Amino acid sequence: MKHSDGWFQSLGDTCHSHDEVVPVLIHSAKFLRGGTAVMPYEFKGDADAIRAILSANKTATDPEVTKINGSVPAYIQRLHQPTDHNRAKQRIVEEEKSKIKRGDLHAEGVRV
């Protein structure tokens, strides 16, 4: 998942204003109940600067940052207020998962 101009605004604005940090990818997003989302990010640049940016960001909680072969993956849990549209999509996913568990829906080839 590539975001062209920043990712969630507060983090994107901070990254773009920092010379030693380049946002690369958001690998996925998993929206959890309780108003949080988990997102594995990828950055290029100074891992310590990325840690500082994430630690100072009020919407990112407990970021885990490491450096591997010039890439800086960051596992971020962040506060998230889903839109009505996102809530509706999440309900559909939960309903389909329930159908699979009950055996009402064939799960072969379906990733849940």
Side-chain angles (χ1 to χ4, degrees):
M1 184 185 323
K2 188 165 179 101
H3 192 290
S4 61
D5 57 334
W7 309 345
F8 65 94
Q9 285 75 14
S10 60
L11 179 59
D13 291 345
T14 306
C15 287
H16 285 294
S17 66
H18 199 292
D19 292 338
E20 297 177 32
V21 174
V22 178
V24 178
L25 290 170
I26 302 172
H27 286 277
S28 65
K30 179 158 178 105
F31 298 97
L32 307 174
R33 294 175 194 209
T36 62
V38 176
M39 299 177 173
Y41 282 73
E42 183 179 342
F43 296 92
K44 296 276 185 199
D46 182 346
D48 290 331
I50 294 165
R51 273 188 206 92
I53 289 168
L54 295 175
S55 294
N57 188 283
K58 291 178 178 34
T59 61
T61 60
D62 300 322
E64 295 178 26
V65 178
T66 190
K67 187 158 190 159
I68 301 171
N69 298 327
S71 181
V72 183
Y75 181 83
I76 301 168
Q77 186 163 347
R78 74 178 202 88
L79 302 176
H80 172 73
Q81 290 302 318
T83 63
D84 289 340
H85 178 75
N86 286 341
R87 281 189 200 96
K89 287 194 305 187
Q90 185 64 32
R91 269 194 305 276
I92 291 168
V93 168
E94 294 300 324
E95 289 169 6
E96 296 304 307
K97 284 181 180 179
S98 292
K99 288 178 186 177
I100 290 169
K101 285 180 183 175
R102 288 192 315 265
D104 295 342
L105 186 65
H106 185 59
E108 185 177 321
V110 177
R111 184 172 178 219
V112 292

